[in-house]
C-alpha cells in the first residue's frame, strides 16, 4: 500500500503547539511529514475549497498553492471560540467519507459549550458537581443560586479555554464581581458547587484522562498550590503523569463514559476522585504538555487510529477506530 496523504489542519494562532506533536507523530509512523494547512482557510468566509474528485474530496487553497486529495485529515488545535466556524468543513469531510477523528459539529459543540455538556451529563447519568447555567442573572437570581450551591462555588464561562475567566467564588462580593465580569463580556456562565478536591497537603488537584475510543491511553494528575486557581498547567499547576493501568478504575470508567456522552471518539476529560468521582469537562482537543512522553503516549496513538481506519479501504484489516460518522 502506498503511503497515505495526511493533511494536518490546525489554527496557527493557537499557542499550544499541538500541531508540532502531531506532525512529528505522522512522520514517525509514515516516514513523511503531513501536508500542513491553516484551518482558517476552511472556516466560514475562508477561501479554501473542497470539491468532489471522482469519489474523493479535493482540497484547494489557491493563495497557498495547495491542491491535493487527502486520505486522512487531522483537524486539531482549533481554539474553542473558532470551532463553530468550521462546522461546514466538518460536514464536508463527513459527506465525502474522509478518514478523520474530528467527529461532527454536534459533538464539538456539545463538548465546547459547557451548558450543553451539563445537559448531556444529566441525560446520560454522568456524575458531575451540581451546576447552574446563568445568563445575565438578576442579583437575586445569582444570590439564590449561590446559596443553593453551598456558597463555595466555581464560576466559568460557557465557552472558555485554559481555565481563563474562571473564578473561585465564596463570598457575595466575589459573586457580584463575577456576574459583572461575564455581563460586560456578554457571555453566559456556569456556577458549580466546589468539589472539595484538595489533597492532604493542601493542594487543589484534578485528573486529565486521555480517552481514545473506549480506552484510556494516558492520564495526568494536576496539582495546584493556589487553591483559588484552576488546575490547568497553563495556570501554574504541575502535571504528574500516570500510566493507564495505574489510574483508578472509577476515573477510567467515568472518563470513557463522559467522552461517549458528548459523542467524541477522542478527548481529554477533566475530573476529580472526590464525591465518588465527578467530571468537570470534556476537552475536544486536549493539549500535550510533556514532549517525548505525550508524543508517544497520546499523539502517536491518535495518528495511528486514523491510519487504522484508513487501512480497510486498501484491503487491510480494521484494527482501530473508524472514520467519524
Amino acid at each position: 500500500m502506498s503511503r497515505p496523504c495526511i493533511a494536518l489542519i490546525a489554527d496557527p494562532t493557537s499557542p499550544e503547539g499541538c500541531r508540532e506533536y502531531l506532525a512529528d507523530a505522522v512522520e514517525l509512523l509514515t516516514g513523511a511529514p503531513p501536508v500542513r494547512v491553516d484551518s482558517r482557510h476552511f472556516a466560514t468566509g475562508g477561501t479554501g475549497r473542497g470539491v468532489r474528485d471522482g469519489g474523493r474530496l479535493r482540497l484547494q487553497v489557491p493563495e497557498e498553492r495547495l491542491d491535493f486529495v487527502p486520505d486522512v485529515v487531522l483537524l486539531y488545535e482549533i481554539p474553542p471560540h473558532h470551532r463553530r466556524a468550521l462546522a461546514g468543513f466538518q460536514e464536508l469531510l463527513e459527506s465525502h467519507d474522509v478518514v478523520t477523528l474530528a467527529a461532527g459539529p454536534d459533538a464539538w459543540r456539545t463538548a465546547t459549550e459547557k451548558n450543553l455538556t451539563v445537559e448531556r451529563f444529566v441525560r446520560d447519568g454522568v456524575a458531575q458537581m451540581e451546576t447552574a447555567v446563568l445568563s445575565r442573572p438578576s442579583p437575586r437570581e445569582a444570590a439564590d443560586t449561590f446559596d443553593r450551591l453551598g456558597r463555595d462555588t466555581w464560576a466559568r464561562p460557557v465557552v472558555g479555554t485554559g481555565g481563563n475567566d474562571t473564578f473561585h467564588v465564596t463570598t457575595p462580593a466575589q459573586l457580584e464581581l463575577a456576574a459583572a465580569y461575564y455581563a460586560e463580556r456578554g457571555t453566559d456562565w456556569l456556577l458549580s458547587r466546589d468539589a472539595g478536591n484538595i489533597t492532604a497537603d493542601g493542594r487543589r488537584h484534578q485528573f486529565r484522562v486521555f480517552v481514545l475510543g473506549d480506552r484510556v491511553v494516558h492520564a495526568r494528575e494536576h496539582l495546584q498550590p493556589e487553591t483559588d486557581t484552576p488546575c490547568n498547567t497553563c495556570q501554574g499547576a504541575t502535571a504528574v503523569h500516570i500510566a493507564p493501568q495505574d489510574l483508578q478504575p472509577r476515573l477510567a470508567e467515568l472518563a470513557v463514559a463522559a467522552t461517549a456522552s458528548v459523542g467524541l471518539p477522542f478527548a481529554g476529560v477533566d475530573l476529580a476522585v472526590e464525591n465518588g468521582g465527578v467530571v468537570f469537562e470534556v476537552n475536544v482537543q486536549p493539549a500535550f504538555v510533556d514532549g517525548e512522553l505525550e508524543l508517544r503516549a497520546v499523539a502517536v496513538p491518535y495518528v495511528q487510529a486514523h491510519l487504522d481506519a484508513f487501512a480497510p479501504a486498501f484491503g487491510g484489516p480494521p484494527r482501530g477506530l473508524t472514520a467519524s460518522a
Side-chain angles (χ1 to χ4, degrees), residues 12-318:
T13 68
S14 168
E16 291 181 345
C18 299
R19 54 197 180 275
E20 303 305 327
Y21 289 81
L22 293 171
D24 288 347
V26 169
E27 196 149 5
L28 278 170
L29 291 169
T30 70
V35 178
R36 295 207 191 206
V37 185
D38 185 330
S39 64
R40 294 173 296 179
H41 291 304
F42 291 101
T44 303
T47 58
R49 298 193 298 261
V51 298
R52 186 171 291 279
D53 185 348
R56 307 286 301 282
L57 176 66
R58 177 173 293 276
L59 297 180
Q60 299 172 330
V61 183
E63 63 264 47
E64 301 291 342
R65 297 184 178 179
L66 288 173
D67 186 340
F68 67 105
V69 176
D71 296 308
V72 169
V73 168
L74 308 177
L75 183 60
Y76 208 96
E77 200 170 0
I78 311 300
H81 290 88
H82 298 174
R83 289 176 189 160
R84 271 204 178 191
L86 283 166
F89 183 60
Q90 289 173 280
E91 292 169 351
L92 184 69
L93 295 176
E94 288 183 322
S95 67
H96 288 79
D97 296 324
V98 176
V99 173
T100 181
L101 300 189
D106 289 345
W108 271 28
R109 185 182 177 197
T110 300
T112 300
E113 299 179 22
K114 304 310 178 187
N115 56 326
L116 301 181
T117 305
V118 169
E119 292 175 0
R120 188 62 61 85
F121 285 175
V122 170
R123 186 197 75 178
D124 295 340
V126 177
Q128 60 185 322
M129 296 307 294
E130 185 181 359
T131 298
V133 180
L134 299 169
S135 180
R136 299 196 179 186
S138 67
R140 172 49 57 193
E141 180 186 358
D144 287 348
T145 303
F146 181 52
D147 288 341
R148 177 167 58 82
L149 295 174
R151 299 173 69 88
D152 186 358
T153 61
W154 286 86
R156 54 186 170 139
V158 162
V159 178
T161 185
N164 296 323
D165 307 324
T166 298
F167 310 98
H168 190 201
V169 178
T170 59
T171 69
Q174 291 172 333
L175 178 67
E176 183 178 344
L177 287 172
Y181 181 90
Y182 297 126
E184 182 181 347
R185 288 156 180 77
T187 183
D188 293 350
W189 51 291
L190 290 77
L191 196 64
S192 301
R193 188 185 295 272
D194 186 275
N197 49 323
I198 305 291
T199 62
D201 62 358
R203 290 180 290 177
R204 183 79 61 177
H205 77 135
Q206 67 183 43
F207 296 83
R208 165 71 59 85
V209 179
F210 294 82
V211 175
L212 182 60
D214 60 358
R215 65 190 176 101
V216 171
V217 294
H218 185 57
R220 304 191 296 248
E221 183 178 17
H222 291 180
L223 296 162
Q224 173 61 269
E226 302 295 334
T227 56
D228 292 331
T229 301
C231 282
N232 301 76
T233 55
C234 57
Q235 299 281 351
T238 299
V240 178
H241 296 276
I242 304 170
Q245 64 270 22
D246 294 331
L247 185 68
Q248 293 187 33
R250 172 59 177 162
L251 294 181
E253 292 167 4
L254 263 178
V256 171
T259 302
S261 178
V262 299
L264 291 171
F266 171 79
V269 183
D270 292 340
L271 65 173
V273 68
E274 288 79 8
N275 303 281
V278 289
V279 178
F280 296 136
E281 67 176 316
V282 180
N283 297 275
V284 176
Q285 295 159 342
F288 311 126
V289 302
D290 192 2
E292 184 69 19
L293 191 157
E294 290 193 353
L295 167 65
R296 296 192 176 276
V298 186
V300 166
Y302 178 76
V303 173
Q304 185 64 58
H306 288 79
L307 297 175
D308 290 348
F310 170 69
F314 285 80

